[in-house]
């Protein structure tokens, strides 16, 4: 059902997604789907978790296979290759919908906070840095890439978006030539 939900949200946006369409896409009854997840909001929270878990596994597989990901400057490129996919765009749609859907926000925001804590722990383990600095750098990378993913979807200019990712990577490389978080501490304005 999670894959069906991702496909429907990606195709129709969050506002155009309903449990009946998801159930039909998944090949199950709406009742069976709601029995398993309880509410549409709970299903959306599970989508956020499922996508994050898949992305983390992919990032690690990429790092092990290619070595890409061992330096901070690698991450904008890695994120760019993953977050603009249908699953990443579906999560972005879900996150944006929390602004106007209180039930969704109640289910999804705690899941997103858990996802961020997990990613932060991995990032700090790999690159050091205190929690505040690591969160700042992670958000800069993730949300810059998410924003460019939106631009790519609605204002597709692949060369310019690729250049923006390369620039962000380059700036991180200049700011942290050793590829570690501590180098950024001197220029980051974090408490």
């Amino acid at each position: 059902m999670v894959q069906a939900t991702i496909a429907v949200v990606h195709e129709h946006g969050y506002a155009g997604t309903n449990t009946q369409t998801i159930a039909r896409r998944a090949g199950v009854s709406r009742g069976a789907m709601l029995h398993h997840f309880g509410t549409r909001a709970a299903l959306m929270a599970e989508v956020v978790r499922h996508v994050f878990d898949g992305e983390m596994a992919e990032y690690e597989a990429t790092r092990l296979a290619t070595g890409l990901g061992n330096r901070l400057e690698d991450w904008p490129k890695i994120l760019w290759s993953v977050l603009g996919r249908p699953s990443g765009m579906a999560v972005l749609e879900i996150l944006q919908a929390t602004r106007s859907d209180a039930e969704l926000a109640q289910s999804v925001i705690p899941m997103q906070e858990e996802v961020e804590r997990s990613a932060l722990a991995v990032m700090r383990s790999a690159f050091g840095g205190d929690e505040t600095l690591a969160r700042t750098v992670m958000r800069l990378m993730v949300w810059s890439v998410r924003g460019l993913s939106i631009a790519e979807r609605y204002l597709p200019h692949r060369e310019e978006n690729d250049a923006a990712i390369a620039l962000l990577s380059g700036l991180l490389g200049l700011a942290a030539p050793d590829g570690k978080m501590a180098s950024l501490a001197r220029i980051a304005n974090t408490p």
Side-chain angles (χ1 to χ4, degrees):
M1 280 183 263
V2 170
Q3 292 302 325
T5 304
I6 290 168
V8 173
V9 172
H10 183 257
E11 290 171 17
H12 302 286
Y14 180 79
T17 298
N18 59 56
T19 55
Q20 184 176 351
T21 305
I22 295 167
R24 188 172 37 251
R25 175 68 66 96
V28 300
S29 72
R30 182 175 178 271
M33 183 182 75
L34 291 175
H35 175 74
H36 186 72
F37 290 100
T39 65
R40 175 182 179 208
L43 172 59
M44 296 303 161
E46 184 56 32
V47 166
V48 171
R49 162 55 70 199
H50 174 82
V51 170
F52 171 76
D53 288 346
E55 289 170 352
M56 291 302 286
E58 186 170 349
Y59 298 147
E60 183 61 10
T62 297
R63 190 186 66 74
L64 292 173
T66 67
L68 191 63
N70 291 327
R71 301 173 59 79
L72 280 171
E73 67 192 76
D74 297 337
W75 281 94
K77 294 173 189 171
I78 294 170
L79 293 166
W80 181 236
S81 72
V82 173
L83 294 179
R85 293 179 183 165
S87 58
M89 294 305 291
V91 166
L92 187 54
E93 288 265 355
I94 293 165
L95 293 173
Q96 289 174 318
T98 64
R99 181 172 177 248
S100 58
D101 184 329
E103 180 185 4
L104 182 68
Q106 190 173 20
S107 292
V108 170
I109 290 174
M111 181 63 71
Q112 179 60 27
E113 289 170 344
E114 180 184 328
V115 160
E116 186 174 87
R117 279 191 302 274
S118 295
L120 186 60
V122 170
M123 185 173 190
R124 288 185 70 204
S125 173
F127 302 111
D130 67 35
E131 186 172 331
T132 301
L133 177 59
R135 182 179 288 109
T136 299
V137 173
M138 183 176 68
R139 285 184 176 170
L140 170 66
M141 291 188 292
V142 169
W143 290 99
S144 294
V145 171
R146 285 196 186 280
L148 287 166
S149 295
I150 294 169
E152 183 68 22
R153 184 165 184 178
Y154 299 107
L155 302 168
H157 299 284
R158 188 64 172 186
E159 297 79 26
E160 289 91 348
N161 294 331
D162 286 343
I165 294 296
L167 177 59
L168 180 56
S169 292
L171 291 171
L172 284 168
L174 290 171
D178 63 356
K180 299 293 180 191
M181 195 70 66
S183 299
L184 297 175
R186 70 185 190 290
I187 61 171
N189 189 15
T190 56

